[in-house]
């Protein structure tokens, strides 16, 4: 039966393919046939994992605090009983012995069967018990892995084997996992959670494939291999579409393909408005490997290199100076002399280090020790990064961009540490560009309100609209529950952006927008009207924005701006912006 699920659009286009559902357990499990003759050994490994899991449950029960609720102890007993279940032990053992599945694969196969059986139970209480089995088996899986964290390798194997029509359906995907998906073969993804401007969504957009997030319960409702249409423009997922709907979407796909080909023709056209205003379009990248695409899209540099992705989800500690230096040089060289704004590590909020060796590994709140605050609290790590960037600046036009600044003393400390990094290089007699430009992200409302301070100390500023909106409106950008309140057209946001641009222009300090607003072609004319001449966005969005610029007439847009900035009623404001776009 055909039905549609609704979520948020994060990346445009239409994909038609088959669901590759990723459940929490099967996500993390390697599927491989073990060598013939090693079956017994694998069974022993599985048995040991069961024993370890059992031991853990005993320990947990022993350590239960006196005031722990009574149900807690009963709950642990239920899990112990499940672990003792003879079927649960014998079934995976049989799969190991007969089919030579590795232990983890055998276990999740049994789990999948069990969960399916629980799904069919009508009694809601019994149905819920499926979750207990899942938790118990996950505990054994962890024990098998010998760690508290499982690897994502198996998902990659699955996707490698899949044809390009796989559509990933998951509860949620962390930004660093999304990053690693870049190498894989799939045509769209759908998640239960996530906001339009979360880092996961941003990385997804850079993959240039249709995606919908915040599609509630998608991962429970959609079954493995279901035929799906992902309408990325509307954030809709159609499950098991009728032939007529399928045909309509195939046509839409063909139209999109054609219009993308047309866009390519603009690649070498200078980016100028009708009345001759030169506009600079730069690219946002996450890794050095993104740089060739940036160049290929016609970007005149990298406006934002999110260097934190080099630091995330690493097994063996943070990258040393040499590794960072090599990554930065690789990027700079790939851009052939064009500017590259290397933003210093912006860890926190939905970007976790997830590094077991590091004390500040994860769960830094968006209002916590994020971005420059983290760097200033870890001066050695910060100095290492600064030295690496400075050394890379000897190879091309590297510029330093600092995230999340809000306070005068943060500016002072940051500049002091940049000075210190330079001195260290001089002592080592290592080259760097002594005239390197330093820029600040304006992404906290406080910074936007004290622009003269920033304009005094920095060579350029870049508006991070993603966070500026998050912090001005008090909305977690990664939370789909408040996604409807995340509004780039909120009058307060428009006022802040306009004021930042005007303040910078008055002082002749270059100003750009590198948040997602810059890549939204529906907002291009509005930003041009506000006087913006420098945009930075993912390469995949660049030509669409360029098309808008080529059709724009600044003098006309500027005239339409005053009523937009003085209108506080959303409907009226939207109508004025629609008119601006006509
Ligand atoms: C922003 O906040 O707009 C920005 C560009 O930085 P990030 O999305 O990485 O927080
Ligand atoms: Mg930001």
């Amino acid at each position: 039966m055909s039905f549609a699920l609704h979520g948020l659009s994060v990346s445009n286009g239409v994909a038609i393919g088959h669901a590759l559902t990723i459940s929490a357990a099967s996500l993390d499990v390697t599927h491989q046939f073990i060598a013939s003759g090693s079956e017994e050994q694998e069974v022993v490994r599985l048995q040991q994992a069961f024993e370890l899991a059992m031991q853990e449950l005993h320990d947990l029960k022993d350590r239960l605090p006196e005031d722990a609720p009574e149900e807690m102890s009963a709950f642990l007993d239920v899990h112990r009983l499940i672990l003792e279940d003879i079927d649960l032990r014998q079934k995976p053992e049989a799969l190991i012995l007969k089919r030579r599945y590795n232990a983890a694969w055998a276990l999740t196969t049994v789990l999948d069967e069990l969960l399916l059986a629980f799904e069919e139970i009508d009694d809601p209480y019994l149905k819920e018990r499926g979750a207990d089995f899942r938790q118990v088996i996950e505990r054994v899986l962890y024990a098998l892995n010998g760690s508290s964290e499982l690897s994502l390798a198996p998902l990659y194997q699955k996707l490698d084997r899949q044809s390009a029509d796989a559509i990933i359906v998951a509860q949620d995907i962390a930004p660093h996992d999304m990053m690693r998906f870049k190498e894989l073969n799939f045509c769209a993804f759908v998640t239960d959670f996530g906001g339009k401007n979360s880092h996961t969504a941003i990385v997804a957009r850079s993959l240039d494939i249709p995606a919908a997030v915040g599609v509630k319960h998608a991962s429970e409702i959609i079954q493995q291999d279901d035929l799906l249409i992902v309408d990325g423009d509307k954030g809709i997922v159609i499950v098991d579409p009728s032939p007529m709907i399928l045909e309509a979407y195939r046509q839409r796909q063909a139209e999109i393909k054609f219009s993308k080909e047309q866009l390519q023709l603009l690649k070498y056209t200078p980016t100028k408005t009708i009345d001759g205003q030169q506009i600079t379009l730069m690219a946002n990248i996450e890794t050095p490997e993104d740089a060739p695409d940036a160049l290929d899209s016609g970007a005149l540099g990298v406006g934002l290199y999110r260097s934190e992705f080099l630091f995330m989800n690493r097994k063996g500690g943070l990258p040393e100076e040499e590794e960072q230096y090599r990554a930065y040089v690789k990027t700079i060289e790939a851009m052939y002399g064009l500017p590259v704004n290397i933003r210093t590590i912006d860890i926190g909020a939905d970007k976790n280090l997830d590094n077991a060796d590091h004390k500040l590994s994860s769960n830094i709140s968006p209002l916590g020790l994020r971005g420059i605050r983290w760097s200033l609290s870890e001066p050695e790590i910060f100095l290492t990064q600064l030295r690496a960037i400075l050394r890379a600046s000897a190879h091309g036009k590297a510029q330093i961009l600092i995230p999340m600044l809000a306070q005068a003393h943060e500016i002072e400390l940051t500049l002091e540490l940049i000075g210190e990094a330079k001195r260290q290089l001089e002592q080592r007699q290592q080259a760097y560009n002594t005239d390197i430009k330093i820029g600040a992200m304006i992404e906290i409302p406080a910074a936007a309100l004290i622009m003269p301070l920033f304009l005094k100390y920095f060579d350029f500023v870049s508006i991070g609209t993603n966070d500026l909106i998050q912090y001005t409106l008090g909305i977690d950008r990664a939370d789909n529950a408040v996604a409807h309140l995340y509004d780039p057209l909120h009058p307060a946001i428009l006022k802040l952006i306009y004021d930042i641009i005007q303040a910078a222009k008055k002082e002749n300090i270059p100003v750009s927008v590198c948040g997602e607003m810059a890549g939204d072609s529906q907002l291009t004319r509005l930003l041009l009207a506000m006087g913006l001449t420098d945009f930075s966005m993912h390469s995949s969005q660049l030509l669409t924005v360029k098309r808008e610029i080529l059709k724009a007439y600044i003098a006309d847009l500027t005239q339409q701006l005053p009523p937009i900035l003085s209108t506080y009623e959303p409907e009226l404001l939207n109508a004025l912006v629609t008119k601006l776009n006509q």
Side-chain angles (χ1 to χ4, degrees), residues 8 14 20 132 153 183 252 265 394 440 457:
L8 303 166
V14 168
L20 175 65
D132 289 319
E183 300 133 36
R252 173 100 189 92
L265 303 174
Y457 287 106

Side-chain angles (χ1 to χ4, degrees), residues 199 202 304 306 308 343 346 351 370 441 443 463-468 477 514-516:
H199 286 94
I202 290 174
L304 170 66
R306 291 184 164 96
E308 55 274 11
R343 184 177 69 183
D346 179 18
K351 290 179 287 192
R370 188 191 154 182
M441 297 275 301
E443 51 186 345
I463 310 176
T465 51
N466 308 334
D467 280 314
L468 191 64
R477 61 194 257 200
C514 65
E516 293 299 289

Side-chain angles (χ1 to χ4, degrees), residues 225-335:
D225 285 328
D226 274 353
L227 180 62
L228 303 180
I229 295 174
V230 178
D231 180 340
D233 299 333
K234 299 202 176 81
I236 296 176
V237 183
I238 303 172
V239 185
D240 198 12
S242 68
M244 220 170 79
I245 300 273
L246 209 54
E247 191 41 42
Y249 270 102
R250 289 223 164 95
Q251 267 184 30
R252 173 100 189 92
Q253 265 187 323
E255 283 162 20
I256 294 173
K257 185 163 172 268
F258 178 71
S259 102
K260 275 194 174 166
E261 283 161 8
Q262 294 293 102
L263 267 184
Q264 291 301 314
L265 303 174
L266 300 180
K267 215 150 84 178
Y268 303 107
T269 313
T271 316
K272 262 192 196 163
T273 61
I274 296 176
D275 44 348
Q277 173 69 58
Q278 186 79 39
I279 305 293
T280 305
L281 299 184
M282 307 235 266
N284 291 355
I285 64 168
E286 274 81 41
T287 69
E289 287 70 37
D290 297 335
D293 278 349
L295 201 65
D296 189 49
S297 69
L300 289 182
V302 170
L304 170 66
Y305 172 5
R306 291 184 164 96
S307 74
E308 55 274 11
F309 282 90
L310 186 61
F311 293 70
M312 285 155 70
N313 201 42
R314 295 170 63 96
K315 291 285 165 263
L318 300 180
E320 298 292 348
E321 184 178 322
E322 281 309 307
E323 184 184 340
Q324 290 188 52
Y325 165 69
R326 282 197 302 274
Y328 304 149
V329 170
K330 188 171 172 191
T331 313
I332 291 163
E333 287 182 343
M335 293 308 292

